[in-house]
Amino acid sequence: GENVEQHPSTLSVQEGDSAVIKCTYSDSASNYFPWYKQELGKRPQLIIDIRSNVGEKKDQRIAVTLNKTAKHFSLHITETQPEDSAVYFCAVNTGGFKTIFGAGTRLFVKA
Amino acid sequence: SQTIHQWPATLVQPVGSPLSLECTVEGTSNPNLYWYRQAAGRGLQLLFYSVGIGQISSEVPQNLSASRPQDRQFILSSKKLLLSDSGFYLCAWSVQRTRGAGNSPLHFGNGTRLTVT
């Protein structure tokens, strides 16, 4: 089955710096790659997603890039702010009913 | 707009007791429904998913079960809880598509924090 690896597990950056989180997947049939943000004690919420026919997508300060050949995709957050502090999960779907999640990255943005 | 309700928010249960968590979705028809579990500081593990009334698929063998008695109602149950059942349980829905949930994001409820003592 699909396997998703996410790195790093913890990331600490200074406010205003950029943060990059990377994920790799195993199933070449995967075609949908969402990213979720989970604040402490709350539910995960979708922040951005990308489909396999697109290499990059941007929404204000966040962007996602996808390399289908290498089977990895990344989340980029620019000009980080303290409210960006949360756990971020990458996820992968092969077009079926299962969305498989990475283990998560805990991001700390220091003011 | 669509909303998802999940209750209770927190629950403390003794080992061996039964469990019933309920989730309902409003504002959409024929959703795909999911139960995920999140252990402390860990990722999201898919437990069950459903594509229609009475249709349940199990991903992880365990002492939990799920039922979908109505189109927008999803219930997670156990006859006898184990200590290892403690965790944060999340219900989610996605748009029903012909070939599965594929390109549709998950929308999560607020979760139930279960502590088995």
Side-chain angles (χ1 to χ4, degrees):
Chain A
E2 176 67 274
N3 183 46
V4 181
E5 294 192 0
Q6 183 172 346
H7 301 280
S9 57
T10 305
L11 180 59
S12 184
V13 301
Q14 203 68 34
E15 182 178 2
D17 288 350
S18 295
V20 180
I21 302 169
K22 299 180 180 180
C23 287
T24 60
Y25 60 97
S26 59
D27 190 342
S28 58
S30 298
N31 59 14
Y32 177 60
F33 309 88
W35 285 88
Y36 293 84
K37 175 184 180 182
Q38 185 179 29
E39 296 179 356
L40 188 63
K42 297 190 176 181
R43 59 182 166 179
Q45 292 190 291
L46 179 76
I47 55 171
I48 195 167
D49 57 9
I50 192 168
R51 289 165 173 76
S52 59
N53 59 345
V54 177
E56 183 175 359
K57 183 177 178 181
K58 189 174 182 180
D59 182 4
Q60 299 183 4
R61 294 187 298 109
I62 60 173
V64 57
T65 58
L66 171 65
N67 184 327
K68 283 190 64 180
T69 302
K71 289 189 278 188
H72 68 70
F73 57 113
S74 300
L75 177 71
H76 305 253
I77 306 174
T78 58
E79 302 173 24
T80 53
Q81 302 168 4
E83 52 264 38
D84 293 330
S85 296
V87 179
Y88 291 82
F89 292 97
C90 64
V92 174
N93 190 290
T94 57
F97 299 103
K98 303 180 194 179
T99 295
I100 306 301
F101 286 80
T105 296
R106 189 172 296 276
L107 174 64
F108 296 96
V109 180
K110 296 177 287 186
Chain B
S1 63
Q2 302 89 357
T3 56
I4 178 169
H5 303 280
Q6 189 180 341
W7 67 94
T10 60
L11 190 60
V12 180
Q13 292 283 99
V15 169
S17 65
L19 173 73
S20 181
L21 303 181
E22 191 162 342
C23 170
T24 58
V25 180
E26 296 177 357
T28 186
S29 297
N30 304 315
N32 291 324
L33 295 173
Y34 307 82
W35 280 109
Y36 280 86
R37 178 170 60 197
Q38 186 175 29
R42 306 289 295 275
L44 294 146
Q45 179 187 35
L46 178 62
L47 301 176
F48 301 94
Y49 66 88
S50 172
V51 301
I53 296 174
Q55 301 178 61
I56 308 295
S57 295
S58 174
E59 289 298 303
V60 182
Q62 60 214 327
N63 66 321
L64 299 173
S65 62
S67 62
R68 185 170 178 174
Q70 300 180 42
D71 180 48
R72 289 169 287 178
Q73 183 184 27
F74 207 21
I75 298 171
L76 182 69
S77 304
S78 174
K79 293 182 179 178
K80 289 186 178 182
L81 285 169
L82 306 172
L83 286 174
S84 58
D85 291 325
S86 294
F88 191 44
Y89 288 81
L90 289 154
C91 179
W93 72 272
S94 68
V95 173
Q96 176 80 257
R97 295 194 187 278
T98 303
R99 294 180 61 246
N103 293 331
S104 178
L106 296 172
H107 306 275
F108 288 92
N110 286 328
T112 295
R113 191 162 303 282
L114 172 66
T115 303
V116 182
T117 61

